[in-house]
Amino acid sequence: MRISELARRSGVTVPTIKFYLRERLLPEGHLTSKTQAQYDESHLARLRLVRALLGPGGLSIVAARSVLDAIDDPPDTVHALLGAAAVTLRPPADEPTDHERVHELMRRWGWTVSLEDCATTHSALAEALSGLEAAEFELPDGLLDTYVRLISELADAELAGVPTESAAAAVRYVVLGTVLVEPLLLVLRRMAQQEASARRYL
Amino acid sequence: MRISELARRSGVTVPTIKFYLRERLLPEGHLTSKTQAQYDESHLARLRLVRALLGPGGLSIVAARSVLDAIDDPPDTVHALLGAAAVTLRPPADEPTDHERVHELMRRWGWTVSLEDCATTHSALAEALSGLEAAEFELPDGLLDTYVRLISELADAELAGVPTESAAAAVRYVVLGTVLVEPLLLVLRRMAQQEASARRYL
């Protein structure tokens, strides 16, 4: 199909499609003349994915490109993939990470993944904790451990669902599941808080 | 103290402090002459809070101002507060919300809070779900219900910690707990996935 047809079927305007092409979020079409390119169903599917990443997924152009690169050229193992999905985490601040504190917490939780594998997540954890401290917000006793217990159960359920029929399917599931499920989890938490609050206070 | 001293003690530059004053994120100091204002410990504490909301909290200026307004002029009930914290949710898209679908899910989960109370969360839930669909990402059977079960347990634990000694303390806990804990939960999920993946695949 031509770009105008791609626009009509996807609901994305031609200028926006051209922008995605320039930003390498969408692969070039097949050139049929110097100024005409043809697009197919794969372009339509990719366009839907790009819209979901930039819209509900809330990613920047750069982060969306990293996610798409991981999907197009997947790392060798599912485990390495989770590292690729971590690029979409907010980049750690310039401040040095308090590794000792993170390691102490990880020992307490029985977590073993080493620093080389997850410098980004370790920094992000240290930063999230120091954000709470900077605002003089103290988590009630035991709440952090409760978070870890419930979220570990959640991650187990998620990993159990990784499709095993093909590497491509596994990649898609892990990367999109990480990025696109975040807004879902955050809104479910708000709603669950409203429910708990209605039960307690109304 | 003068603004230069406030800058030194907070580690925030004078131009940035002036920007926060203009944006009403920080209350004016006490004027001692036409061009001199004095600041006190409350300004220092507020400045730390602003940094935490804009930095690790990841809020926009507008969202941070809403959060601070809710803290300064709290709604009457803890329940109404959760509504105020919801302003920091990404604003719902222009697309009409599929209320029927949200209501059906809420009935399934035994959730009862009515639409008037939470138009924002309902729209955000509909949007998160349609984001998954647009990307042709299907949650494995039962995973959505598992999310709701675990997150309800999490919200119960959070609400149980709301301090009851004063309304101001409750407000602070609810609003900051909602906003500042989000980055913590998201990074814990990434780390828990890495742990689960290491156990399964390494």
Side-chain angles (χ1 to χ4, degrees):
Chain A
M1 70 191 102
R2 287 160 64 164
I3 196 167
S4 53
E5 168 81 359
L6 183 63
R8 195 187 58 72
R9 285 186 60 195
S10 64
V12 178
T13 64
V14 170
T16 301
I17 292 176
K18 288 185 173 166
F19 170 75
Y20 293 159
L21 287 166
R22 281 198 304 277
E23 291 290 337
R24 293 194 297 103
L25 296 173
L26 188 68
E28 298 291 337
H30 177 72
L31 279 181
T32 52
S33 78
K34 268 188 187 158
T35 57
Q36 289 270 333
Q38 285 288 319
Y39 300 87
D40 58 27
E41 298 299 317
S42 75
H43 290 92
L44 191 60
R46 169 59 56 106
L47 212 41
R48 289 204 186 99
L49 180 53
V50 169
R51 298 297 278 181
L53 292 175
L54 298 180
L59 295 191
S60 66
I61 300 283
V62 172
R65 195 188 297 127
S66 299
V67 166
L68 295 170
D69 285 347
I71 288 179
D72 292 338
D73 186 13
D76 286 341
T77 64
V78 170
H79 188 68
L81 254 183
L82 285 164
V87 298
T88 62
L89 277 175
R90 173 200 297 275
D94 293 336
E95 295 148 43
T97 299
D98 182 353
H99 287 301
E100 195 33 59
R101 181 177 185 196
V102 169
H103 290 173
E104 193 187 311
L105 285 170
M106 290 181 69
R107 277 193 295 274
R108 187 163 106 202
W109 299 329
W111 284 2
T112 53
V113 173
S114 68
L115 184 63
E116 306 84 77
D117 284 352
C118 10
T120 315
T121 51
H122 290 199
S123 302
L125 175 59
E127 201 190 335
L129 292 171
S130 55
L132 293 176
E133 269 160 27
E136 287 163 18
F137 180 84
E138 212 169 317
L139 286 177
D141 264 355
L143 189 55
L144 184 58
D145 293 327
T146 302
Y147 282 152
V148 168
R149 178 175 59 78
L150 292 170
I151 284 178
S152 297
E153 206 179 317
L154 191 143
D156 278 336
E158 289 176 317
L159 267 283
V162 174
T164 49
E165 76 265 20
S166 77
V171 172
R172 228 186 120 74
Y173 177 85
V174 171
V175 176
L176 296 185
T178 305
V179 175
L180 291 178
V181 169
E182 285 186 352
L184 174 66
L185 292 174
L186 294 182
V187 67
L188 287 177
R189 174 172 172 245
R190 304 285 181 111
M191 293 180 79
Q193 288 176 338
Q194 285 168 336
E195 292 296 320
S197 145
R199 279 198 308 277
R200 267 172 193 271
Y201 299 107
L202 287 191
Chain B
M1 70 191 102
R2 288 162 63 166
I3 195 165
S4 54
E5 168 80 0
L6 183 63
R8 195 188 57 73
R9 285 186 58 196
S10 64
V12 179
T13 65
V14 171
T16 301
I17 293 177
K18 288 185 171 166
F19 170 75
Y20 293 160
L21 288 166
R22 282 197 305 277
E23 291 290 338
R24 294 192 297 102
L25 296 173
L26 188 68
E28 298 291 337
H30 176 71
L31 280 182
T32 52
S33 79
K34 268 187 187 158
T35 57
Q36 288 270 332
Q38 285 288 319
Y39 300 88
D40 58 25
E41 297 300 317
S42 75
H43 290 92
L44 191 61
R46 169 60 56 106
L47 211 42
R48 288 203 187 100
L49 180 52
V50 168
R51 298 297 278 182
L53 292 175
L54 298 180
L59 295 191
S60 67
I61 301 284
V62 172
R65 194 188 296 127
S66 301
V67 167
L68 295 169
D69 286 348
I71 288 180
D72 292 337
D73 186 13
D76 287 341
T77 64
V78 170
H79 188 66
L81 254 182
L82 286 164
V87 299
T88 61
L89 278 174
R90 174 200 296 272
D94 293 337
E95 293 147 43
T97 299
D98 183 352
H99 289 300
E100 195 33 61
R101 181 177 185 195
V102 169
H103 290 173
E104 194 189 309
L105 286 170
M106 290 181 69
R107 277 193 296 274
R108 188 164 103 200
W109 300 329
W111 284 2
T112 55
V113 173
S114 68
L115 185 62
E116 305 85 76
D117 285 352
C118 5
T120 315
T121 50
H122 289 198
S123 301
L125 175 59
E127 201 190 336
L129 292 171
S130 56
L132 294 177
E133 270 161 25
E136 288 163 17
F137 179 84
E138 214 170 318
L139 287 176
D141 264 356
L143 189 55
L144 184 58
D145 293 328
T146 302
Y147 282 152
V148 170
R149 179 174 60 79
L150 292 170
I151 284 178
S152 298
E153 206 179 319
L154 191 144
D156 278 336
E158 290 177 317
L159 268 283
V162 174
T164 49
E165 76 266 18
S166 77
V171 171
R172 229 186 117 74
Y173 177 85
V174 171
V175 175
L176 296 186
T178 305
V179 175
L180 290 179
V181 169
E182 285 186 352
L184 175 66
L185 292 175
L186 294 183
V187 67
L188 287 176
R189 174 172 172 246
R190 303 285 181 110
M191 293 179 78
Q193 288 175 340
Q194 286 168 336
E195 291 297 320
S197 146
R199 280 199 307 278
R200 267 172 193 272
Y201 298 107
L202 287 191

